[in-house]
Amino acid sequence: MLYFHSKSLLLVIAAAAVVVPVSSFSANTILTSSSSRPILATTTSRSSTSSLLLLQSSSTSTDNKVTNNSNNEVTSATQNDDEEDTTDNKSTIAVERPVIHWTVPGFKFGWQDDDGNWFDEDGPRDGLPLNYWRQRSDERYYKKDMDVVDIVINPTSTKEQIEEAIKETERARSQRNPSINRKLLGEWAPLLRSGKDVYTLSSDVIEVPWKIQLERTEGRKFAPKNNYGLFDAQLVEGETVTISYSGNNMDKTFLASKLNEPIIFGMVDDLPLFFGGLTYLSDYILIQRGPEGDIDLW
C-alpha cells in the first residue's frame, strides 16, 4: 500500500502497496510517534522530523479473532462490526507532504550559491558547512521517495509509469527485514490499495479516506539513546503488534515476523486490508504487495 506523509502521505495501494506517514515535528523536541524518527534530540534550531503519513488516531473495539498466516498462530483481534467495512461515510482526511528527516540533530542547513560561495543559517562560511554531505544524502533519499509520490498522484501518469516507478523503488530495497523494522511504527495513509487510487487531489491537497496506525501492543519501547537522539526499538520476532484502522475504529493484532507474509484483516471498500509482503520501507513511504502481487502504497 502506498501511504503518504503530508503531500507524500499514502499514495498507492494496488499492485504494490506503499504507505506514507503524515505528521511533522520540530527539531528542538524531536518527539514523534514514528519508530524511525528521533523521539528526543538534544539540539536547537531545525524543524524537520516527520513521517510521511503519521496521524494520531484512537480506536475502540470488541473481541474477535484473526489468523496470522505467516506462522499459523491465532492472535486476538478487535473490531466494532463485521470483517467487512463498507465505509458508507465518505469523509476524507487531508494530508501534507512530509518534511525531511535529518540524520544529524540540530545541524545548520548549508548551501552554495552560483558563484561558489558557501553559506549556512548564520551566513557566509569559509568552506563546506558542517555535516553538509550528510545533509545532501538526506535530501537525496527524500527526493527519491517524493518523486514516486509525484508520479503516483500525477493525473497524466499511466499505469505503466506508476508500476515502473514502484518497481525501481523496490529494487533499491531500503531496509533489511522491513516487516520487523521500527520504521513501521506510527500512522500511515494509503495512496494506492491493490493497485487502485484511494486518494483524491484537490488544489494540490491530498485527501485520503482513512489511515492506519501500527504500534506495540504492550506499549512503546525505546532503543538506547545515541548521538542522533532517542528512537523506538526494533521489533523482535513474535512481538505483538496492534494495527488500528480509523475508518471503522477497528483494532487487530498480529505477531511480528521476519517471514514478511501478507496477513489479511478484512475487506474495506471491496479491497483487502492487509499487512505484510513489504518490498520497500523508508521514513516516508511504505510499499507492500498482497498475495496476488497487488500493490499498496502508504
Side-chain angles (χ1 to χ4, degrees), residues 150-298:
D150 288 338
I151 291 173
V152 169
I153 65 174
N154 189 332
T156 66
S157 294
T158 65
K159 180 180 179 181
E160 291 73 21
Q161 288 173 325
I162 291 174
E163 290 181 352
E164 180 55 34
I166 289 175
K167 288 179 180 178
E168 182 176 349
T169 301
E170 290 173 320
R171 287 193 285 267
R173 293 299 297 170
S174 72
Q175 305 298 322
R176 183 183 179 187
N177 297 321
S179 58
I180 59 171
N181 192 279
R182 67 190 180 195
K183 292 178 183 286
L184 288 171
L185 301 175
E187 280 185 326
W188 296 90
L191 294 178
L192 297 178
R193 292 187 57 223
S194 299
K196 309 250 185 329
D197 295 346
V198 293
Y199 69 92
T200 57
L201 188 62
S202 175
S203 299
D204 293 330
V205 175
I206 296 174
E207 296 182 346
V208 296
W210 42 265
K211 57 189 182 292
I212 63 166
Q213 179 163 331
L214 293 166
E215 58 189 349
R216 284 182 160 92
T217 305
E218 300 300 322
R220 200 167 187 181
K221 296 179 183 178
F222 300 105
K225 186 177 179 180
N226 58 33
N227 292 334
Y228 299 118
L230 182 64
F231 299 83
D232 287 278
Q234 300 282 16
L235 294 166
V236 298
E237 188 81 15
E239 187 172 5
T240 306
V241 178
T242 297
I243 181 171
S244 304
Y245 159 56
S246 67
N248 199 26
N249 290 330
M250 174 186 74
D251 284 0
K252 294 191 175 184
T253 63
F254 62 94
L255 302 183
S257 173
K258 293 180 180 179
L259 294 179
N260 193 23
E261 295 180 353
I263 305 168
I264 298 177
F265 298 102
M267 299 294 292
V268 176
D269 294 333
D270 298 323
L271 295 171
L273 177 63
F274 70 94
F275 176 79
L278 282 82
T279 58
Y280 182 82
L281 174 67
S282 73
D283 286 344
Y284 311 108
I285 62 175
L286 178 159
I287 302 174
Q288 64 182 13
R289 290 183 178 264
E292 304 300 323
D294 292 338
I295 298 170
D296 278 10
L297 174 61
W298 299 72

Side-chain angles (χ1 to χ4, degrees), residues 46-176:
R46 163 179 137 238
S47 62
S48 69
T49 15
S50 67
S51 7
L52 205 37
L53 189 51
L54 264 166
L55 302 175
Q56 293 291 342
S57 67
S58 60
S59 57
T60 57
S61 57
T62 58
D63 286 341
N64 206 323
K65 295 282 184 182
V66 151
T67 299
N68 186 334
N69 294 329
S70 63
N71 54 16
N72 294 324
E73 294 211 19
V74 176
T75 62
S76 65
T78 57
Q79 125 177 26
N80 277 343
D81 299 308
D82 259 333
E83 288 290 334
E84 182 165 354
D85 175 22
T86 56
T87 41
D88 291 327
N89 187 347
K90 298 302 181 182
S91 62
T92 58
I93 301 168
V95 294
E96 296 178 350
R97 191 176 296 265
V99 295
I100 297 177
H101 304 154
W102 304 110
T103 299
V104 180
F107 80 102
K108 295 178 180 178
F109 187 85
W111 68 94
Q112 188 177 34
D113 66 15
D114 294 338
D115 296 325
N117 301 307
W118 289 101
F119 300 85
D120 64 15
E121 295 173 3
D122 293 335
R125 286 185 54 88
D126 293 329
L128 287 170
L130 294 175
N131 300 305
Y132 177 74
W133 297 116
R134 181 70 264 179
Q135 168 195 319
R136 293 294 295 154
S137 177
D138 291 342
E139 290 173 324
R140 285 194 300 271
Y141 281 119
Y142 176 80
K143 183 179 184 303
K144 177 172 62 71
D145 285 353
M146 293 305 99
D147 285 347
V148 176
V149 170
D150 288 338
I151 291 173
V152 169
I153 65 174
N154 189 332
T156 66
S157 294
T158 65
K159 180 180 179 181
E160 291 73 21
Q161 288 173 325
I162 291 174
E163 290 181 352
E164 180 55 34
I166 289 175
K167 288 179 180 178
E168 182 176 349
T169 301
E170 290 173 320
R171 287 193 285 267
R173 293 299 297 170
S174 72
Q175 305 298 322
R176 183 183 179 187

